Amino acid sequence: MASSGEERRSGSAGRAGTGTEPSPTADAAQLDTVEDFEVLEEEEEEEEEDLSELPPLEDVGRPPAPPREDTQPSEQGRGDAAEDPQEWLDVLGSGLLKKKTLVPGQGVDTRPRKGQDVTIRLKATLEDGSVVEENPALTFTLGDCDVLQALDLCVQLLEMGETALIVSDAKYCYGTQGRSPDVPPNAALTLEVELLAARDAPDLELLSGKEKIELANRKRERGNFFYQQADYVLAINSYDIALKVIGSSSKVDFSPDEEAELLDVKVKCLNNLAASQLKLDHYEAALKSCNLVLEHQPGNIKALFRKGKVLAQQGEYREAIPILKAALKLEPSNKTIHAELSKLVKKHADQKNVETEMYRKMLGNPSAAGAPGKCKDKLPWSIPWKWLFGATAIALGGVALSVVIAARN
């Protein structure tokens, strides 16, 4: 999988920046390969991943009121934030994300709204003062998780023209993994941000085929980044946004090549969406994503493989086995499909044995002594004698009743 280090581009303009997308040169070479992540790799005895430390998809509504003069400095604050609490805004109330205005803006009414495209000047440093990112014009869609959570949460609190200092815990930056080679794990960042522009996002109906493909790919690549960070909730969010872009109506005619490319991006998003949903044990959602892929491409090996895994996780071995057999027929040399299929065949056999034993207990244990020798191999179980006597009595009673009725007539 592509390393998160390829995400960094210091001093570059446009849609780039802290934890956003890989560089254009890395796109074809690595991110298209990322779409293969976790698809047909060996997955036996895979340990369940601990997602407890991953940053949640948090949001901010109205900013909390500025601290009163008698407010004590937060013990969780860092650096100047703890020394001068009156000037710092505790964005989430936890002391882990703080904002201080350096240069005032043009008023609260000029704050950007979610869904708008914003452009900022950014400088990011570590606690020791090392600069890890500088970008004079970073553009992203506010609220789409296109950048670090620290930026997504705080930029919506900036006024136009305002310059602010943001001190963020690693939880809202690069987390426990960091960003190789310049951001170590669990590193807090100080972000100097200036809000340069905010405008409504382009109307999806008016995007050209090329523009729609580029936008959908950016969201998909962001999903890949989150997947690599093991943040499957945010990965799903990004893939969903990409699919909404692709599925939006259009007033512009697309060429056949553009239509085919959009379909290709859609299939990649759905496959990766299914992988993320599987990681979170969202089996019904993953099954739906796989089926959508197979509607477009019935022979898509990744979708067949994942659908088989979903059904297996639900205990539907009878349905999963033929699906994996179909995938294996398309790629007979794939060892992972072989291994998964062998595992399911064994589980299915064990399941049938358990069911057979359960039925035997429900219907009564076989009695070798009570069955004729010549029928011993043909009868799965012997009929209890009390059932036989009961049935005989019922039959004889019926005959006697018929005789009485005939006599009276």
Side-chain angles (χ1 to χ4, degrees):
M1 293 189 297
S3 68
S4 55
E6 71 193 23
E7 307 287 321
R8 181 173 57 87
R9 297 189 299 284
S10 297
S12 60
R15 289 184 176 269
T18 307
T20 51
E21 308 115 351
S23 61
T25 56
D27 182 72
Q30 299 196 38
L31 273 186
D32 285 347
T33 304
V34 169
E35 202 270 329
D36 292 330
F37 58 66
E38 215 258 331
V39 177
L40 299 177
E41 299 173 357
E42 293 292 341
E43 298 187 52
E44 285 88 12
E45 305 301 326
E46 180 182 0
E47 294 184 3
E48 187 172 344
E49 297 173 60
D50 180 12
L51 305 181
S52 60
E53 296 301 319
L54 294 176
L57 185 59
E58 298 193 55
D59 195 3
V60 289
R62 297 181 179 178
R68 301 189 307 271
E69 292 184 2
D70 59 347
T71 302
Q72 296 299 317
S74 170
E75 294 180 1
Q76 294 176 291
R78 299 177 183 273
D80 293 340
E83 298 171 7
D84 196 359
Q86 282 79 14
E87 296 186 20
W88 286 88
L89 175 67
D90 191 347
V91 176
L92 298 174
S94 63
L96 300 180
L97 185 62
K98 296 196 171 189
K99 167 190 171 288
K100 180 170 74 171
T101 299
L102 300 179
V103 178
Q106 300 171 14
V108 175
D109 292 342
T110 64
R111 287 178 177 174
R113 304 183 307 275
K114 282 186 177 181
Q116 286 189 313
D117 285 348
V118 297
T119 301
I120 62 172
R121 175 183 61 81
L122 172 67
K123 180 180 179 181
T125 59
L126 297 174
E127 288 181 297
D128 63 5
S130 303
V131 178
V132 294
E133 180 112 20
E134 284 190 279
N135 196 321
L138 168 64
T139 299
F140 60 95
T141 303
L142 191 59
D144 274 12
C145 300
D146 290 345
V147 289
L148 298 179
Q149 274 194 291
L151 288 174
D152 229 5
L153 294 170
C154 291
V155 168
Q156 57 189 294
L157 304 178
L158 296 181
E159 300 171 4
M160 189 59 60
E162 178 182 350
T163 299
L165 207 59
I166 298 168
V167 177
S168 175
D169 183 81
K171 182 178 183 181
Y172 303 106
C173 295
Y174 289 101
T176 58
Q177 297 190 33
R179 184 186 71 181
S180 178
D182 53 354
V183 180
N186 299 307
L189 288 181
T190 298
L191 311 171
E192 184 179 313
V193 181
E194 179 185 1
L195 180 58
L196 302 175
R199 59 185 179 277
D200 291 339
D203 188 342
L204 295 179
E205 290 187 339
L206 301 179
L207 292 180
S208 67
K210 182 180 178 181
E211 290 171 331
K212 181 171 280 195
I213 291 167
E214 289 177 351
L215 179 58
N217 266 323
R218 277 201 300 273
K219 305 301 182 181
R220 177 181 66 86
E221 289 160 5
R222 188 60 181 167
N224 291 349
F225 169 78
F226 283 127
Y227 190 97
Q228 294 164 6
Q229 297 291 318
D231 195 335
Y232 307 115
V233 172
L234 293 185
I236 288 172
N237 179 71
S238 293
Y239 294 136
D240 277 338
I241 294 173
L243 289 168
K244 287 177 183 176
V245 171
I246 296 169
S248 61
S249 60
S250 179
K251 297 178 180 178
V252 180
D253 293 330
F254 299 156
S255 68
D257 288 344
E258 289 171 337
E259 293 281 6
E261 193 168 353
L262 277 171
L263 178 59
D264 182 62
V265 178
K266 179 180 181 179
V267 167
K268 288 180 179 179
C269 286
L270 287 169
N271 262 326
N272 291 353
L273 181 62
S276 302
Q277 291 162 336
L278 262 173
K279 285 290 188 179
L280 297 176
D281 296 338
H282 296 171
Y283 299 131
E284 290 301 327
L287 188 61
K288 181 179 179 181
S289 298
C290 292
N291 285 334
L292 287 173
V293 173
L294 295 173
E295 285 179 12
H296 297 293
Q297 297 178 0
N300 189 288
I301 295 177
K302 298 170 191 176
L304 288 170
F305 180 76
R306 289 196 180 116
K307 182 175 181 178
K309 288 206 68 173
V310 171
L311 292 171
Q313 290 288 348
Q314 295 176 316
E316 303 291 344
Y317 304 126
R318 189 189 301 273
E319 295 181 38
I321 288 172
I323 291 173
L324 287 181
K325 284 182 177 179
L328 189 61
K329 186 176 181 180
L330 293 170
E331 196 169 315
S333 61
N334 193 293
K335 295 180 180 179
T336 303
I337 302 177
H338 269 291
E340 188 70 21
L341 185 56
S342 298
K343 186 167 61 176
L344 289 192
V345 169
K346 183 179 183 305
K347 286 184 177 181
H348 188 217
D350 293 342
Q351 185 186 59
K352 287 196 294 185
N353 289 337
V354 170
E355 290 175 353
T356 300
E357 184 63 25
M358 180 182 66
Y359 294 147
R360 289 168 69 92
K361 290 180 179 178
M362 290 173 59
L363 298 174
N365 292 322
S367 174
K374 64 180 181 179
C375 298
K376 195 177 290 184
D377 295 333
K378 295 183 181 180
L379 293 175
W381 58 78
S382 60
I383 301 174
W385 288 109
K386 60 183 179 180
W387 290 11
L388 182 60
F389 289 144
T392 303
I394 292 173
L396 292 175
V399 171
L401 180 62
S402 299
V403 171
V404 170
I405 292 174
R408 286 183 177 180
N409 293 334

